[in-house]
Amino acid sequence: MCQLTRRPHSIYCILPPHILRSLAQNGTPGQRHNALQTLSIDSTFRGLRASQPVVRRAHRIAIAEGQKQRTIYTANQSETLPGTLARAEDTQPSNDPAIDEAYDGLGATFDFYWEVFDRNSIDDEGLPLDATVHYGENYDNAFWNGERMVFGDGDGDLFNRFTVSLDVIGHELAHGVTEDEAQLAYFSQSGALNESMSDVFGSLVKQYLLKQPADQADWLIGAGLLTTKVSGVALRSMKAPGTAYDDPILGKDPQPAHMRDFVSTSRDNGGVHINSGIPNHAFYLVATQLGGYAWEKAGRIWYETLRDSRLRPNTGFKRFARLTASVAARLYGSQGTEEKAVSDAWKQVGIVLN
Ligand SMILES: [Zn+2]
């Protein structure tokens, strides 16, 4: 599928395999064709990625701190990367929505990390941000491959173009940040934490751009991505995991919000896109409990936890939860409102700290 494990750089796709499998089983012949095509492209990444050297730092050019360096390419419906140059930094809109949404989304994500966390791009060393749009024909996915973001146009039937959701762009780039800071292994609980980190920061990128307080945010990942034909609002809901969609073709959102509903499965790298609902909901609870802008305190706690050397690649939910409480105490005082909000949130999703 879309991820490589036990390699320095994985490929992270936004669409979990269970949605594509459901589509391939229940869709019309056309929908099935697109889903199978997407699954087959996703599975070829294994060979593709393994045979490519890591080049992301090789083409670095010197730019000032906090300066964006975006380059958008178009694959023109081919599967060749990077494709042809479509828009460079500081150039006018192209009037192609996919190109301009990718450009703006990369910019909003860069600005979020720089302005909120003083982080200079994905690697904190000013990594230029590259993206390719119009990847493949009716390709129902978007991914971060360690060096660029790649967006399909969707089938136009069930999925819109994948540049449409800012939180999807924020989600994918956050995989780069996690890879740079913590290398959370993309399997089982550490993998679900890896996924959850991307949902948390993906949602925060959107909330920050819209200047939304925690109680006014939609807490959805992939809002706008599903067409009106689909019975659903997004790919995931952090506010109410398990309720994002319930559709005869896509199936039902399988995310749990509590440890008692933890899903044990060998699929999806051990349920990384499924059990991420539990830490996602814990973050939502912390943010809404503390009130105000979620990126200010809850986001800071999660970001500093991601950077904490005690966060190991194989960290599970409980150890992660303890770390967030410890970081909250370090940042805002022991036994303070923030540490208490963190402990309470974890308790509400079934993880009791002691
Ligand atoms: Zn992801």
Side-chain angles (χ1 to χ4, degrees):
M1 292 302 163
C2 269
Q3 313 85 22
L4 286 175
T5 52
R6 296 181 199 88
R7 291 193 183 275
H9 298 284
S10 298
I11 288 173
Y12 303 96
C13 295
I14 190 68
L15 217 60
H18 53 80
I19 289 187
L20 286 165
R21 265 199 305 269
S22 183
L23 242 158
Q25 272 165 16
N26 307 320
T28 63
Q31 290 163 345
R32 295 178 59 180
H33 172 81
N34 291 331
L36 290 169
Q37 189 73 13
T38 297
L39 281 165
S40 107
I41 290 174
D42 293 355
S43 64
T44 62
F45 290 150
R46 183 171 289 276
L48 179 86
R49 188 62 197 154
S51 62
Q52 281 180 340
V54 175
V55 294
R56 68 175 188 156
R57 285 167 202 266
H59 53 82
R60 181 71 51 86
I61 51 166
I63 44 171
E65 275 242 311
Q67 209 73 49
K68 289 189 276 286
Q69 182 70 34
R70 291 165 286 183
T71 314
I72 313 298
Y73 299 81
T74 172
N76 287 314
Q77 272 73 49
S78 78
E79 289 156 30
T80 308
L81 293 176
T84 54
L85 178 67
R87 190 173 172 194
E89 188 66 45
D90 285 333
T91 57
Q92 295 301 310
S94 68
N95 295 321
D96 175 328
I99 292 168
D100 295 331
E101 283 164 357
Y103 183 88
D104 292 342
L106 293 180
T109 306
F110 183 97
D111 289 344
F112 166 78
Y113 283 108
W114 177 248
E115 290 164 17
V116 177
F117 298 129
D118 207 20
R119 183 183 187 87
N120 190 11
S121 194
I122 299 309
D123 59 351
D124 201 17
E125 291 177 38
L127 183 76
L129 297 178
D130 290 1
T132 296
V133 299
H134 300 310
Y135 178 82
E137 276 183 53
N138 301 320
Y139 179 61
D140 278 330
N141 228 330
F143 60 89
W144 162 258
N145 70 358
E147 58 185 52
R148 65 176 51 251
M149 278 233 50
V150 179
F151 301 93
D153 290 326
D155 54 14
D157 180 23
L158 302 172
F159 293 95
N160 291 315
R161 60 182 182 274
F162 278 71
T163 46
V164 98
S165 295
L166 177 56
D167 38 71
V168 165
I169 299 175
H171 172 105
E172 290 301 325
L173 292 175
H175 277 306
V177 175
T178 297
E179 193 171 86
D180 188 66
E181 293 288 354
Q183 300 95 43
L184 282 166
Y186 206 61
F187 184 76
S188 195
Q189 288 199 8
S190 58
L193 288 171
N194 191 322
E195 266 305 306
S196 178
M197 281 293 183
S198 277
D199 282 351
V200 162
F201 292 108
S203 181
L204 289 182
V205 166
K206 185 165 90 173
Q207 293 178 37
Y208 181 71
L209 183 77
L210 300 175
K211 296 292 175 279
Q212 285 176 325
D215 61 353
Q216 284 171 32
D218 64 17
W219 294 98
L220 297 171
I221 301 300
L225 189 57
L226 306 178
T227 66
T228 51
K229 271 193 187 176
V230 178
S231 172
V233 291
L235 299 177
R236 291 183 282 281
S237 167
M238 301 175 70
K239 181 176 182 173
T243 67
Y245 59 89
D246 188 356
D247 181 83
I249 293 170
L250 258 60
K252 185 184 178 307
D253 178 359
Q255 282 210 313
H258 192 282
M259 281 306 279
R260 68 176 158 251
D261 301 317
F262 186 92
V263 178
S264 291
T265 173
S266 58
R267 288 184 158 183
D268 183 30
N269 280 36
V272 295
H273 293 92
I274 298 172
N275 293 312
S276 52
I278 295 167
N280 273 1
H281 194 54
F283 181 83
Y284 160 82
L285 291 170
V286 174
T288 48
Q289 175 66 34
L290 292 175
Y293 294 127
W295 59 86
E296 287 184 343
K297 285 187 172 176
R300 167 68 63 181
I301 294 166
W302 254 242
Y303 180 68
E304 293 300 338
T305 302
L306 182 65
R307 287 162 51 85
D308 196 301
S309 61
R310 292 171 293 172
L311 182 63
R312 310 303 304 165
N314 63 351
T315 297
F317 287 2
K318 188 146 191 175
R319 183 170 167 78
F320 177 81
R322 281 207 191 100
L323 272 175
T324 56
S326 157
V327 169
R330 174 167 64 79
L331 291 173
Y332 302 108
S334 189
Q335 307 294 319
T337 314
E338 294 80 7
E339 187 191 356
K340 191 173 176 321
V342 169
S343 303
D344 285 351
W346 286 112
K347 193 174 169 189
Q348 285 182 66
V349 302
I351 295 172
V352 179
L353 308 182
N354 42 44

